[in-house]
Amino acid sequence: MAAGEAETARTALTGAQRGSAAGTDPRIAGLQSAVRRLRTDLDRYPAPLADREIAERALDALDVLAVAGPCEPGELRESLLMIVAAVGSVSALARGVAALREALEMFGVSRAATLPYGFPQRRESPSAAWPPPGFR
């Protein structure tokens, strides 16, 4: 583990511990810590992002949801999808997004959830018959 990763893990753990010591839900403290980390990573990312504003609004929404009380997995999942859509392909932000995903999993937002409109998430590998004969 690199020094930066260890410090980030220590910061997130300290945030969760602070939350439980203060009487708040440690999941909320973990979520707030993950939101702060991704917001900091996003602020430090120097290149222009077309959807930076969308990601920042989704982070603000997660912050409000965390403070408001019981978090609904559907609302959390929607915010996560907005953030991933906005910054998902930026490798410099991948660790912050992963930390946010892990924090949301503590609220029941699973990676194996169904996609919007009831489409199941595809888990199996592509068919062995692909590509079809003569395809090229």
Side-chain angles (χ1 to χ4, degrees), residues 62 65 71-82 104 107-110 113:
L62 282 174
L65 288 172
C71 298
E72 292 294 322
E75 293 174 348
L76 297 172
R77 185 179 302 113
E78 184 178 327
S79 294
L80 177 63
L81 288 173
M82 294 295 291
L104 292 180
F107 287 95
V109 177
S110 70

Side-chain angles (χ1 to χ4, degrees), residues 3-128:
E5 291 177 62
E7 183 175 325
T8 303
R10 195 169 35 252
T11 303
L13 183 63
T14 304
Q17 288 172 340
R18 269 187 270 134
S20 61
T24 59
D25 189 345
R27 299 176 304 167
I28 292 175
L31 175 59
Q32 290 173 327
S33 177
V35 167
R36 275 193 307 272
R37 178 198 174 155
L38 185 55
R39 190 182 309 271
T40 301
D41 290 350
L42 190 59
D43 289 343
R44 289 180 183 165
Y45 187 70
L49 290 171
D51 295 329
R52 181 184 295 265
E53 185 178 324
I54 293 170
E56 289 172 349
R57 277 189 275 152
L59 286 169
D60 290 340
L62 282 174
D63 241 352
V64 169
L65 288 172
V67 172
C71 298
E72 292 294 322
E75 293 174 348
L76 297 172
R77 185 179 302 113
E78 184 178 327
S79 294
L80 177 63
L81 288 173
M82 294 295 291
I83 292 167
V84 169
V87 300
S89 64
V90 179
S91 61
L93 302 173
R95 288 193 176 133
V97 171
L100 182 62
R101 180 181 300 141
E102 289 173 9
L104 292 180
E105 285 177 353
M106 293 190 308
F107 287 95
V109 177
S110 70
R111 294 177 190 220
T114 57
L115 297 175
Y117 310 109
F119 293 108
Q121 187 173 9
R122 185 176 181 159
R123 293 183 188 194
E124 69 276 356
S125 61
S127 168

